[in-house]
């Protein structure tokens, strides 16, 4: 890699704001296939594959736990359950547990020894502590256990239950068989108390659950009756409890009856029984909805002759079956359908569209049916339980459930699919594939219910309204991946995907089509899986290797899944590490930003010779490399191009600087704006020869400062434009980098400016001819409908944009929020998102990089937002937060007056530590001011920034006649009148 390319990567890290716009595309062809080398002469020695198999080796790799900040006030009661049998041996067990409680670091918990079966109502009414734990005698708490629980509570004070990981302690004192728990998974809790005793619960919650006794049955009952949720349950992914090795106790009929009663108390009618050692729940909705079953096939008679008669055994009030066949409509095939008696009415339709698209086949066929519930089945499946459809549909009607499927098994009885996990191979895979249903694993027995990111479309059910809400299966996926996205779309909307673990449907995978995934599907998958590839699968503990579907211990040597994704796509992968100084970057980038005065004069002369209105039919968009098309400047670029294509028939040609990576960028563009499918996508080189090879067009548009010089030097282009979306010189201190960036405003390009502020700078400060637009927000995602407002006594939630780039003033944001947390403790919760920049010591909830579609729901659960962008553009984030009903703290800048009215629709602040803290403090303390500012902010968006199409209306006319449609020059705020 050249130093220039390293400089680009240093200046604009892959996950930084500008990095979303600019990637070092010049080395795009380089891959990381060395990860896959095995036993090749001269290659590195073959390793043992990803992950670890030895628990002791994994433990040796674990870093020290982060200590609890000073001043923590969370208090704990630890109840030690004793059987009272074998007096001397039991006394020794109790003593060992009490010793581990007394040894807790930084805290002084109280221990209380009680006999098994003690009613908790006799104990808890007078307990003053905040949290209570229920551990069995002989169990040993890690010295840092309660410290870590207290830290989780400090970070997120809405937590009512905090679970953690555990292992088993042998008689010799060896630690074995760890259990790594997922995030809150209510369906697992139906079948088994998967927390065991590895959790702390608020005393007030334990106190309010009457009739609870101190035993396994009672503790499970307590958890089921506590009305838990994603927000109220925390997870500490560390092994903090070691319990004695004992035979696993299967669920009992009494447990099943208790689960059914707990569901009944919540208004859910269900029956429950013990099956394979866990409770099996069958929900019984008041009304059984109609079901339409869709089965795509390539006229595989062998598969259909196995599946269709098995469907006839289904015990369900009303369902219909449609087979969609792309195997060719012939007399012989029609005769086969006419003569085949499946035992159940079958409708068949012929599919003739080419090219074949599995997603479209399913979506179009589903829309031709009438069932209230849709079930998609592969033709290579077989029903082996007549009650399968009642069980699936009943689970679908639980509140918060999106899709439901079964743990699919092969003809030999091995697990083929136990839910979808994201990470293996850099993409997605079937959890537990190849394991036996009776096996155990690091994340619990295979036979448990599972909440997962998605369910395979080989057998998946979804309510029709939820299916249509997300637009059906995403047709950008030709053959594989759209079922994963169907599940992810439910997750984004706050729903769950459930895998029922019982043997009801068999899957004879890939007997028809094979397992090949089209390359285009890999690109489409990247754009949708990326947040989970980067941030992790919440249903797979971070202690578990993310690269294999059969759980193994995570290893520090495991490559990040995204690295494997990039290798599979033929793209480079880079960490965010800063590798060079700004001086080195300037030296490296000088050749990329060079232009002569004569070349600038030619731009002016060309524009002067191009007089009057000229319809624009073709546009060359010159872009730097980019990773994500959903955010910021690159998204706005594509949005403008999409509007020009839709409304004016413009042919957009997207040319990315660097080596060819057309598949990658084509898929990126379509992922963000499907209407741009078919646009010409190519590459160009910034050399004189490379620019001479760029095809002529009616207009060329630069989209970043490093492409402005390229547009200026193009030939065959009568009009040249510069899409200016921020004052990019301010991204750097006064330096050569600043000078090179600022010089691009003096190249004679026509300016299309994002906000009046950018226009005033370009036209008033640099004398450019320009127009401007005011940005808008996507009101389908960002709105205040269904907002969650804190009740009296609830903590105030603050959202912070956590991206460590110069213009975001992250150091100031972090310091101010840390002080607010110090002052208010559990009266505030601070949520940070944007990238994984937070140190482990931060008292913030770190959500990392989110799917942009998920941010609207997050913002509607937020009370205060803070963004301190200090360049001349405030970014889109404050607009999106305001649209969601959030009171904003923002810089007091004259450049932002077009958006923020100080004290009216935003709390503006001087850019000093004391004043930012004061602004946050005021909004935390004063709920009325907070609500007033939030309401005014939402009204501002409604009135002026709620329609992107309207915001961009004038751009085509400016492209066609820039001199006649330019906005009159105005003096910027920093120019004296």
């Amino acid at each position: 890699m050249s130093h220039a390319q390293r400089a680009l990567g240093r200046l604009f890290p892959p996950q930084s704001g500008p990095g979303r716009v600019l990637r070092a595309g010049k080395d795009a062809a380089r891959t990381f296939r060395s990860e896959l080398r095995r036993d090749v002469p001269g290659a590195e020695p073959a390793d043992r594959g990803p992950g670890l198999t030895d628990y002791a080796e994994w433990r040796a790799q674990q870093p020290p736990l982060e200590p609890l900040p000073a001043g923590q006030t969370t208090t704990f009661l630890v109840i030690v359950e004793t059987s009272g049998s074998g007096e001397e041996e039991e006394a020794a067990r109790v003593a060992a547990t009490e010793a581990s409680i007394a040894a807790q670091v930084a805290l002084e918990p109280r221990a209380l020894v009680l006999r098994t079966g003690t009613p908790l109502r006799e104990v808890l009414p007078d307990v003053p502590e905040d949290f209570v734990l229920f551990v069995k005698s002989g169990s040993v708490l890690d010295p840092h256990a309660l410290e870590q629980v207290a830290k989780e509570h400090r970070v997120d004070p809405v937590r009512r239950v905090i679970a953690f990981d555990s292992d088993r302690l042998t008689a010799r004192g060896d630690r074995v068989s760890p259990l790594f728990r997922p995030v809150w998974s209510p369906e697992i809790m139906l079948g088994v108390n998967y927390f065991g005793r590895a959790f702390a619960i608020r005393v007030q919650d334990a106190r309010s659950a009457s009739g609870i006794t101190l035993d396994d049955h009672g503790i499970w009952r307590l958890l089921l009756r506590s009305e838990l949720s994603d927000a109220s349950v925390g997870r500490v992914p560390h092994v903090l409890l070691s319990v004695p090795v004992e035979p696993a106790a299967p669920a009992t009929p009494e447990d099943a009856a208790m689960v059914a009663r707990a569901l009944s108390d919540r208004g859910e009618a269900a029956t429950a029984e013990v099956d394979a050692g866990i409770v099996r729940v069958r929900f019984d909705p008041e009304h059984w909805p109609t079901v339409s079953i869709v089965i795509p096939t390539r006229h595989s008679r062998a598969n259909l002759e196995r599946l269709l008669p098995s469907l006839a055994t289904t015990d369900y009030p009303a369902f219909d079956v449609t087979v969609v066949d792309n195997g060719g409509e012939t007399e012989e095939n029609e005769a086969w359908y006419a003569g085949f008696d499946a035992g159940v009415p079958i409708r068949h339709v012929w599919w003739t569209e080419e090219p074949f698209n599995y997603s479209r086949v399913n979506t179009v066929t589903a829309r031709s049916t009438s069932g209230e519930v849709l079930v998609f089945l592969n033709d290579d499946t077989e029903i082996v339980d007549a009650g399968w459809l009642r069980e699936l549909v009943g689970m679908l009607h639980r509140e918060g459930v999106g899709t439901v499927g079964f743990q699919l098994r092969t003809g030999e009885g091995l697990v083929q699919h136990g839910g979808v996990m994201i990470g293996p191979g850099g993409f997605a895979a079937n959890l537990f594939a190849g394991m036996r249903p009776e096996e155990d694993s690091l994340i619990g027995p295979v036979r448990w219910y599972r909440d997962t990111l998605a369910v395979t479309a080989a057998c998946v059910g979804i309510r029709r309204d939820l299916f249509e809400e997300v637009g059906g299966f995403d047709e950008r996926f030709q053959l594989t991946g759209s079922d994963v996205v169907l599940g992810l779309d439910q997750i984004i909307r706050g729903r769950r995907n459930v895998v029922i673990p019982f043997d009801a449907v068999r899957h004879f995978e890939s007997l028809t089509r094979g397992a090949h995934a089209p390359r285009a599907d890999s690109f489409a998958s990247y754009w949708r899986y990326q947040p989970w590839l980067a941030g992790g699968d919440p249903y797979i503990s971070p202690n578990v290797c993310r690269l294999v579907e059969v759980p193994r211990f995570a290893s520090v040597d495991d490559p990040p899944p995204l690295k494997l994704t990039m290798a599979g796509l033929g793209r480079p992968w880079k960490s965010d590490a800063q590798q060079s100084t700004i001086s080195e970057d300037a030296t490296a980038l000088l050749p990329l930003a060079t232009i002569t005065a004569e070349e600038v004069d030619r731009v002016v002369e060309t524009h002067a010779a191009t007089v009057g209105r000229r319809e624009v039919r073709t546009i060359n968009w010159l872009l730097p490399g980019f990773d994500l098309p959903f955010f910021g400047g690159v998204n706005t670029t594509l949005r403008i191009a999409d509007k020009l294509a839709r409304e004016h028939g413009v042919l957009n040609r997207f040319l990315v600087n660097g080596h060819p990576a057309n598949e990658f960028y084509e898929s990126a563009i379509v992922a963000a704006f499907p209407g741009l499918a078919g646009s010409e996508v190519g590459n160009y080189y910034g050399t004189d020869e490379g620019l001479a090879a760029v095809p002529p067009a009616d207009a060329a548009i630069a989209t970043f400062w490093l492409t402005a010089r390229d547009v200026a030097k193009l030939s065959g282009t009568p009009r040249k434009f510069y899409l200016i979306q921020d004052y990019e010189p301010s991204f750097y201190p006064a330096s050569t980098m600043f000078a090179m960036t600022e010089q691009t405003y003096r190249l004679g390009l026509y300016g299309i400016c994002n906000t009046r502020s950018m226009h005033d700078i370009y036209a008033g400060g640099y004398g450019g001819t320009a127009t401007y637009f005011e940005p808008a927000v996507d009101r389908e995602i960002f709105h205040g409908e269904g907002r969650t407002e804190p009740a009296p006594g609830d903590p105030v939630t603050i959202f912070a944009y956590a991206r460590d780039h110069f213009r975001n003033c992250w150091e100031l944001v972090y310091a101010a929020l840390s002080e607010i947390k110090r002052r208010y403790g559990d009266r505030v919760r601070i949520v940070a998102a944007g990238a994984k920049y937070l140190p482990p010591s931060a008292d913030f909830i770190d959500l990392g990089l989110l799917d942009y579609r998920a941010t609207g729901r997050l913002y509607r659960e937020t009370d205060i937002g803070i963004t301190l962008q200090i360049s001349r553009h405030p970014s889109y984030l404050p607009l999106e937060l305001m649209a969601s009903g959030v009171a904003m703290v923002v810089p007091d800048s004259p450049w932002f007056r077009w958006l923020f009215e100080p004290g009216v629709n935003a709390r503006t602040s001087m850019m000093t530590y004391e004043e930012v803290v004061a602004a946050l403090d005021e909004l935390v303390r004063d709920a009325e001011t907070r609500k007033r500012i939030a309401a005014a902010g939402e009204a501002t968006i409604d009135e002026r920034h709620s329609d992107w199409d309207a915001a961009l209306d004038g751009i085509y006319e400016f492209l066609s006649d820039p001199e006649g449609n330019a906005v009159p020059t105005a003096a910027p705020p920093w120019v004296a009148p």
Side-chain angles (χ1 to χ4, degrees):
M1 182 189 300
S2 71
H3 184 66
Q5 291 162 342
R6 284 195 299 272
L8 291 171
R10 175 258 184 269
L11 283 173
F12 314 112
Q15 305 308 331
S16 71
R20 287 169 172 169
V21 182
L22 177 62
R23 272 295 292 271
K26 295 184 183 296
D27 60 340
R30 187 164 65 90
T31 71
F32 287 87
R33 292 193 176 89
S34 60
E35 291 293 333
L36 309 178
R37 288 185 294 176
R38 298 291 184 269
D39 303 319
V40 178
E44 297 174 1
D47 66 19
R48 56 193 167 187
L52 303 170
T53 57
D54 183 76
Y55 183 37
E57 185 177 0
W58 174 82
R59 288 177 57 204
Q61 289 188 354
Q62 301 314 296
L65 296 174
E66 190 67 29
L68 186 67
Q72 176 63 36
T73 58
T74 306
T75 55
F76 294 90
L77 169 67
V78 183
I79 293 178
V80 182
E81 179 186 342
T82 176
S83 67
S85 60
E87 189 169 325
E88 184 175 339
E89 180 182 352
E90 182 65 8
R93 288 162 61 99
V94 169
T97 303
E98 289 185 308
S100 75
I101 297 169
Q104 290 300 296
V105 172
L107 295 167
E108 297 181 1
R110 182 164 66 98
L112 181 62
V113 180
L114 297 175
R115 282 186 176 272
T116 298
T118 300
L120 294 185
R121 68 174 182 272
E122 297 178 1
V123 181
L124 296 179
D126 299 322
V127 167
E129 284 84 3
D130 299 313
F131 283 87
V132 60
L133 291 82
F134 308 96
V135 300
K136 291 185 176 182
S137 62
S139 299
V140 175
L141 287 166
D142 183 278
H144 298 275
L146 299 187
E147 179 188 45
Q148 296 305 305
V149 173
K151 189 172 191 304
E152 171 68 13
H153 171 239
R154 177 182 172 87
V155 168
D156 194 347
V158 304
R159 302 304 200 194
R160 294 164 44 216
V161 170
I162 298 173
F164 40 88
D165 295 336
S166 59
D167 60 14
R168 297 187 178 276
L169 198 62
T170 69
R172 296 191 311 172
D174 296 327
R175 294 173 60 180
V176 298
S177 305
L179 174 58
F180 298 133
R181 293 170 172 85
V183 296
W184 172 235
S185 302
E187 277 66 43
I188 301 182
M189 190 61 75
L190 292 179
V192 63
N193 173 15
Y194 75 101
F195 285 176
R197 303 299 181 89
F199 71 94
I201 184 171
R202 283 184 182 269
V203 168
Q204 63 190 39
D205 287 296
R207 186 185 292 135
S208 64
S210 60
I212 303 299
T213 53
L214 183 60
D215 50 43
D216 289 342
H217 180 88
I219 297 303
W220 188 3
R221 183 181 178 190
L222 170 64
L223 291 167
L224 284 173
R225 293 182 59 177
S226 294
E227 297 292 338
L228 302 176
S229 66
D230 290 344
S232 64
V233 178
R235 172 183 68 169
V236 178
H238 300 293
V239 178
L240 303 180
L241 178 69
S242 298
V243 302
V245 171
E246 295 174 349
T252 66
E254 291 76 17
D255 292 328
M258 179 269 296
V259 171
R261 284 196 304 273
L263 291 169
S264 178
D265 291 344
R266 292 206 293 258
E268 296 184 85
T271 60
E273 63 180 342
V274 177
D275 189 330
I278 69 169
V279 173
R280 183 173 189 173
V281 178
R282 293 182 174 89
F283 292 91
D284 189 9
E286 184 176 341
H287 160 71
W288 286 104
T290 57
V291 177
S292 291
I293 300 173
V294 175
I295 304 168
T297 185
R298 195 178 179 84
H299 200 70
S300 175
R301 296 180 185 178
N303 282 342
L304 294 173
E305 287 169 355
R306 178 180 56 232
L307 170 60
L308 296 179
S310 74
L311 270 177
T313 68
T314 298
D315 173 21
Y316 192 83
F319 69 97
D320 58 74
V321 179
T322 299
V323 175
V324 53
D325 194 328
N326 77 319
E329 182 180 5
T330 65
E331 290 185 6
E332 179 187 357
N333 289 345
E334 277 286 2
W336 181 84
Y337 279 111
F340 180 65
D341 182 10
V344 63
I346 302 294
R347 178 176 75 107
H348 71 278
V349 295
W350 296 101
W351 187 267
T352 58
E353 275 191 21
E354 293 292 343
F356 179 83
N357 183 295
Y358 177 81
S359 304
R360 180 166 171 77
V361 167
N362 278 292
T363 298
V364 170
T365 306
R367 288 173 177 161
S368 73
T369 65
S370 60
E372 298 163 84
V373 167
L374 297 169
V375 173
F376 299 92
L377 280 178
N378 275 17
D379 67 349
D380 57 354
T381 55
E382 180 183 15
I383 307 304
V384 295
D385 183 336
W388 74 284
L389 193 52
R390 287 182 183 267
E391 195 164 6
L392 183 150
V393 172
M395 184 68 77
L396 267 179
H397 281 73
R398 293 205 81 200
E399 183 178 355
V401 169
T403 70
V404 176
F406 282 94
Q407 182 185 96
L408 303 181
R409 302 181 187 178
T410 67
E412 294 74 33
L414 299 178
V415 175
Q416 183 271 329
H417 167 82
V420 171
M421 66 175 292
I422 287 183
F427 291 97
N430 291 324
L431 183 63
F432 300 139
M435 297 183 71
R436 297 187 303 276
E438 66 274 13
E439 282 189 80
D440 202 351
S441 83
L442 295 177
I443 59 174
V446 175
R447 66 179 181 274
W448 284 0
Y449 285 96
R450 290 284 164 186
D451 294 290
T452 63
L453 285 177
V455 176
T456 177
C459 174
V460 65
I462 184 171
R463 287 168 28 203
R464 183 180 291 272
D465 60 326
L466 302 187
F467 184 74
E468 293 298 346
E469 179 184 304
V470 300
F473 288 106
D474 190 333
E475 294 178 19
R476 286 168 288 195
F477 293 82
Q478 299 172 16
L479 189 59
T480 63
S482 60
D483 50 355
V484 180
V485 169
L486 184 68
L488 295 179
D489 281 339
Q490 306 310 308
I491 297 291
I492 287 168
R493 288 161 175 79
R495 304 185 190 114
R496 306 183 301 278
N497 303 297
V498 182
V499 177
I500 300 170
F502 303 103
D503 189 15
V505 181
R506 296 288 176 93
H507 188 200
F508 305 86
E509 185 183 26
S510 301
L511 296 184
T512 306
R513 294 191 180 279
H516 172 69
R519 183 166 172 80
D521 286 355
S522 297
F523 286 100
S525 297
Y526 167 70
W527 301 116
R528 292 305 311 274
Y529 301 177
Q530 205 270 350
W532 292 274
L533 288 167
D537 184 329
Y539 297 108
I540 304 297
S541 168
N543 297 321
V544 173
C545 178
R546 298 175 55 203
L547 306 179
V548 288
E549 51 268 58
V550 175
R552 304 177 75 181
F553 297 103
S555 170
V556 295
D557 296 323
D558 291 338
L562 266 179
K563 187 174 183 179
L564 300 185
T565 310
M566 293 292 99
L569 301 180
R571 296 280 296 167
W573 176 87
K574 296 181 181 68
S575 71
D576 290 352
Q578 304 281 326
Q579 297 179 347
S580 58
T581 69
I582 196 166
S583 176
E584 291 171 326
D585 293 336
T587 301
L589 294 174
L590 279 172
L592 304 181
T594 184
I595 190 168
T596 66
E598 289 78 10
E599 289 169 321
V600 174
D601 289 342
R602 281 199 292 272
V603 173
V604 175
E605 292 165 2
T606 299
H607 285 174
T610 309
V611 180
R613 179 182 173 82
R614 293 170 57 102
E615 294 287 339
V616 173
R617 291 288 171 257
T618 57
I619 297 177
N620 285 334
W621 297 86
L622 269 59
L623 301 104
F626 60 89
D627 277 343
L628 293 175
F630 306 112
F631 305 94
V634 68
N635 187 263
T636 305
T637 298
L638 299 176
R639 187 181 296 278
I640 295 170
D642 180 68
K643 179 179 174 69
L644 295 175
R646 281 187 290 108
E647 297 187 2
H648 303 284
V650 169
L651 172 64
N652 293 293
R653 183 182 294 125
F654 300 101
L655 302 173
V656 183
N657 189 4
H659 296 316
N662 294 359
E663 286 179 296
F664 184 82
Y665 292 117
E666 286 171 3
S667 65
I669 291 166
V670 173
F673 290 93
L676 290 174
S679 299
E680 186 175 336
V681 177
N683 71 299
Y684 79 96
Y685 296 101
T687 61
D688 290 343
E689 295 80 6
L691 292 171
V694 172
D698 295 325
I701 304 178
T703 59
F704 192 70
W705 74 268
L706 276 170
T707 62
R709 160 266 195 191
D710 297 334
V711 165
K713 298 181 74 164
L714 285 177
S715 60
T717 307
R719 284 173 170 158
K720 303 177 181 184
F721 298 84
Y722 190 174
L723 179 57
I724 302 169
Q725 303 204 59
D726 207 334
Y727 186 58
E728 292 173 334
S730 68
F731 290 5
Y732 320 106
S735 61
T736 301
M737 289 296 302
F738 182 100
M740 287 192 297
T741 307
E742 187 191 36
Q743 188 62 49
T744 63
Y745 296 161
R746 298 187 173 97
L747 301 180
L749 305 178
Y750 292 121
I752 304 171
C753 301
N754 190 336
T755 76
R756 180 63 183 256
S757 296
M758 292 302 103
H759 173 271
D760 290 349
I761 291 172
Y762 191 66
Y766 295 96
T769 299
T771 190
Y772 73 92
F773 61 92
E774 289 199 349
V777 300
D778 185 342
R779 291 301 258 158
E780 291 188 5
I781 296 176
F782 305 107
H783 56 80
E785 185 178 347
R787 267 192 59 80
T788 302
E789 299 293 346
D794 285 351
V796 173
T797 298
I798 305 173
F799 175 84
Y801 181 49
R803 192 171 293 286
D804 186 12
H805 184 265
F806 309 124
R807 64 173 176 158
N808 297 330
C809 298
W810 172 243
E811 301 85 354
L812 179 55
V813 173
Y814 182 81
L817 288 173
S818 297
E819 171 59 18
I820 291 295
K821 186 66 177 178
R822 187 196 66 79
R823 290 183 185 183
Y824 288 97
D826 61 7
R827 287 182 286 167
V828 298
R829 60 195 296 266
I830 299 169
V831 179
K836 286 285 186 181
Y837 282 117
L838 294 182
S841 59
D843 289 331
F844 307 167
I845 303 165
D846 188 1
L847 298 182
L849 183 64
L850 299 176
D851 188 297
Y852 77 100
R853 286 157 285 231
T855 55
R857 185 165 62 92
L858 170 64
Y859 298 163
R860 287 187 288 279
E861 298 171 353
T862 297
D863 305 302
I864 302 168
I866 179 169
T867 58
L868 297 185
Q869 278 77 6
I870 200 58
S871 60
R872 302 293 191 252
H873 190 287
S875 91
Y876 294 148
L877 203 68
L879 284 85
E880 294 165 353
L881 284 156
M882 291 163 70
S884 305
V886 179
M888 291 302 300
V889 173
V890 296
D892 185 11
S893 167
W895 297 104
F896 300 160
R897 291 288 187 264
W898 59 270
L899 176 61
F900 303 129
E901 297 178 66
V904 178
N905 66 2
R907 175 54 166 91
T908 57
S909 171
M910 291 172 55
M911 294 296 284
T912 65
Y913 168 77
E914 294 85 352
E915 290 302 312
V916 173
V917 169
L920 288 165
D921 189 272
E922 177 185 357
L923 294 184
V924 171
R925 285 185 293 102
D926 190 341
E928 291 306 314
T929 297
R930 188 169 70 235
K931 291 177 183 178
R932 174 179 56 78
I933 287 176
E938 190 171 358
T940 297
I941 302 303
D942 283 336
E943 293 165 9
R944 305 203 303 265
H945 305 284
S946 62
D947 188 337
W948 264 114
D949 262 355
L952 302 176
D953 268 344
I955 291 181
Y956 182 76
E957 290 305 315
F958 182 73
L959 291 170
S960 299
D961 188 5
E963 298 290 347
N965 286 283
V967 176
T969 301
W974 45 268
V975 175

